[in-house]
């Protein structure tokens, strides 16, 4: 018989509220506590989430003795230390991207999780998108043959409407950089489908955000895949007014394809030898944050996977090692190392 999984949500911003709603909707989950440094009245939390509220993780842990899972939905730079704090108290962790801001932090989390025999689930919900699942399947099947070239384009708008409302976005220590905050999901898809990279070179610029961020808003990164083929990642948050596109184009030995749209949500081209394009399931809408939009709203799959894994019906879709790998790739890109 399945156990009802009890959750605490740490951080009550846009994504934290999304976690609360998904937990509320799942009959196998129960929200028992929430935590944020701000006053509860100022956070706009739906009245249906009337559970114990704390402004300190330490007090939450000291008071609540039946939490199974903590969802870490705080600024990027806090993810690692807060994950370790809950693991220290033998509580499973669901960590929003990124798992940490460097490889060392992620390794500490993995070591601790193994020491206390607790799970760490990394939120990489774009893997659940039907176009992403289709891409994974067609590449893994070998139908397209050897990979020659992969181009990833991520062109989004993140202007003052985004940064002026935040106390941490754009801050190097709490945000980490554009690849961590905006585009780590697409690096995860790249790694998940095509594997690790080497021979990295990069060019970076801050065209429109010098007053609002401590880091670049745009980059051109080229590399080789260890499994064969070469790739390029072009990204920017300097697009005027609205998001432009998120896309992956693949040139292979036996065909070519492109997934595009604003959120990598459309199959724009598929011409593969002896292959008929299947009908894909409907796409979930992107997360809507008012002035801007983000990746697909697939968090319900994440929470469902957590519940099933802890009830021994499944395994983690994106485990801590994969979360570490995404961070390590981003770290190498920013360091522009040749490996």
């Amino acid at each position: 018989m399945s156990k009802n999984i009890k959750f605490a949500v740490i951080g009550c911003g846009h994504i934290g509220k999304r976690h609360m709603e998904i937990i509320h909707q799942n009959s196998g989950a129960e929200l028992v506590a929430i935590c944020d440094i701000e006053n509860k009245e100022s956070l706009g939390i739906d009245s249906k989430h009337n559970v114990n509220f704390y402004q300190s993780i330490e007090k939450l842990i000291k008071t609540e003795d039946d939490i199974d899972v903590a969802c870490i939905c705080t600024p990027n730079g806090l993810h690692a230390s807060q994950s370790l704090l809950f693991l220290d108290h033998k509580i499973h962790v669901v960590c929003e991207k990124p798992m940490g801001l460097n490889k060392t932090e992620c390794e500490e989390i993995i070591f601790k999780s193994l020491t206390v025999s607790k799970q760490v689930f990394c939120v990489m919900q774009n893997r659940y998108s039907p176009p992403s699942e289709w891409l994974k399947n067609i590449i893994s099947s070998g139908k397209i043959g050897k990979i020659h070239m992969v181009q990833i384009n991520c062109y989004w708008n993140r202007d003052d409407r985004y940064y002026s409302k935040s106390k941490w976005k754009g801050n190097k220590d709490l945000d980490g950089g554009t690849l961590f905050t905006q585009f780590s999901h697409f690096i995860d898809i790249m790694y998940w489908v095509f594997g690790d990279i080497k021979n990295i070179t990069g060019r970076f610029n801050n065209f429109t955000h010098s007053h609002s961020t401590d880091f670049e808003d745009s980059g051109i990164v080229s590399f080789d895949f260890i499994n064969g083929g070469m790739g390029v990642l072009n990204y920017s948050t300097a697009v005027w007014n609205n998001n432009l596109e998120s896309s992956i184009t693949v040139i292979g030995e036996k065909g070519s394809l492109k997934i595009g749209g604003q959120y990598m949500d459309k199959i724009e081209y598929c011409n593969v030898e002896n292959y008929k394009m299947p009908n894909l399931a409907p796409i979930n809408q992107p997360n809507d944050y008012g002035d801007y939009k983000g990746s697909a709203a697939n968090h319900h799959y994440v929470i469902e996977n957590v519940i099933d894994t802890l009830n021994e019906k499944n395994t983690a879709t994106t485990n801590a090692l994969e979360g570490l790998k995404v961070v390590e790739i981003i770290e190498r890109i920013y360091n522009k190392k040749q490996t």
Side-chain angles (χ1 to χ4, degrees):
M1 185 175 179
S2 295
K3 173 189 174 184
N4 211 42
I5 305 300
K6 296 183 178 182
F7 288 82
V9 172
I10 314 304
C12 301
H14 291 303
I15 290 298
K17 291 185 179 74
R18 183 72 182 151
H19 280 249
M20 292 178 211
E21 183 62 29
I22 296 302
I23 292 165
H24 177 77
Q25 292 174 2
N26 195 305
S27 61
E30 180 183 353
L31 181 65
V32 297
I34 55 180
C35 181
D36 197 287
I37 59 172
E38 303 291 341
N39 293 321
K40 184 179 181 180
E41 293 73 22
S42 67
L43 292 168
I45 299 169
D46 195 304
S47 59
K48 66 187 172 188
H49 305 310
N50 186 25
V51 297
N52 292 338
F53 177 83
Y54 300 90
Q55 287 184 277
S56 158
I57 291 176
E58 290 78 9
K59 187 172 181 180
L60 182 153
I61 291 173
K62 184 178 179 180
T63 307
E64 302 285 342
D65 58 4
D66 60 350
I67 297 170
D68 297 306
V69 183
C71 296
I72 308 298
C73 305
T74 52
N76 299 345
L78 303 177
H79 288 180
S81 61
Q82 292 176 346
S83 294
L84 287 168
L85 187 56
F86 280 102
L87 289 170
D88 272 333
H89 289 82
K90 299 185 178 180
I91 295 170
H92 301 286
V93 168
V94 174
C95 188
E96 274 290 339
K97 56 79 181 169
M99 184 178 169
L101 292 183
N102 56 65
K103 181 182 177 183
T104 300
E105 289 183 342
C106 298
E107 289 174 335
E108 290 174 1
I109 292 170
I110 292 172
F111 179 78
K112 177 62 69 174
S113 70
L114 293 172
T115 302
V116 299
S117 299
K118 294 299 175 182
Q119 293 267 11
V120 175
F121 302 84
C122 297
V123 178
M124 293 295 183
Q125 76 270 17
N126 280 18
R127 292 191 184 194
Y128 293 102
S129 172
S132 297
E133 293 179 327
W134 170 77
L135 177 66
K136 172 71 170 176
N137 289 335
I138 194 171
I139 299 300
S140 298
S141 70
K143 289 182 172 63
I144 202 169
K146 294 180 180 178
I147 301 300
H148 297 326
M149 299 179 69
V150 177
Q151 181 183 58
I152 303 167
N153 293 331
C154 298
Y155 299 133
W156 283 11
N157 164 266
R158 291 293 183 270
D159 53 26
D160 286 348
R161 293 171 295 179
Y162 175 82
Y163 285 105
S164 64
K165 295 179 181 179
S166 174
K167 296 180 180 179
W168 65 271
K169 291 170 182 171
N171 177 283
K172 180 66 175 178
D173 292 334
L174 290 177
D175 185 315
T178 310
L179 290 179
F180 283 116
T181 302
Q182 274 73 47
F183 302 128
S184 61
H185 287 306
F186 303 107
I187 292 175
D188 174 64
I189 294 298
M190 179 190 76
Y191 172 68
W192 184 48
V193 175
F194 302 102
D196 204 355
I197 61 175
K198 61 181 181 178
N199 301 328
I200 300 167
T201 60
R203 296 175 60 195
F204 307 94
N205 208 321
N206 194 348
F207 292 109
T208 64
H209 293 78
S210 59
H211 65 290
S212 56
T213 72
D214 297 333
F215 41 75
E216 91 295 346
D217 61 23
S218 305
I220 300 173
V221 184
S222 63
F223 44 83
D224 294 323
F225 290 102
I226 289 175
N227 293 331
M230 59 183 182
V232 62
L233 166 65
N234 305 302
Y235 69 93
S236 181
T237 55
V239 177
W240 180 78
N241 199 46
N242 294 313
N243 291 348
L244 174 58
E245 74 167 304
S246 308
S247 67
I248 294 183
T249 301
V250 183
I251 310 299
E253 179 185 20
K254 298 179 180 179
S256 305
L257 58 88
K258 180 179 181 179
I259 301 176
Q262 284 192 42
Y263 313 103
M264 210 177 285
D265 55 359
K266 299 176 182 177
I267 309 300
E268 294 189 352
Y269 185 83
C270 178
N271 185 20
V272 177
E273 181 181 46
N274 299 323
Y275 179 77
K276 183 179 179 180
M277 183 70 206
N279 293 321
L280 302 185
I283 308 295
N284 286 317
Q285 294 300 306
N287 283 306
D288 192 335
Y289 304 127
D291 292 326
Y292 62 96
K293 294 184 179 181
S295 298
N298 291 328
H299 280 77
H300 58 292
Y301 295 121
V302 175
I303 297 301
E304 184 177 314
N305 177 250
V306 172
I307 294 168
D308 287 346
T309 300
L310 296 185
N311 280 309
E312 300 182 348
K313 296 179 179 179
N314 204 341
T315 56
T317 305
T318 311
N319 61 42
L321 285 171
E322 293 173 294
L324 175 149
K325 196 61 193 179
V326 171
V327 170
E328 189 259 347
I329 289 172
I330 293 173
E331 191 174 27
R332 280 192 286 141
I333 288 173
Y334 278 146
N335 289 337
K336 294 179 286 186
K337 290 180 179 178
Q338 299 291 313
T339 56

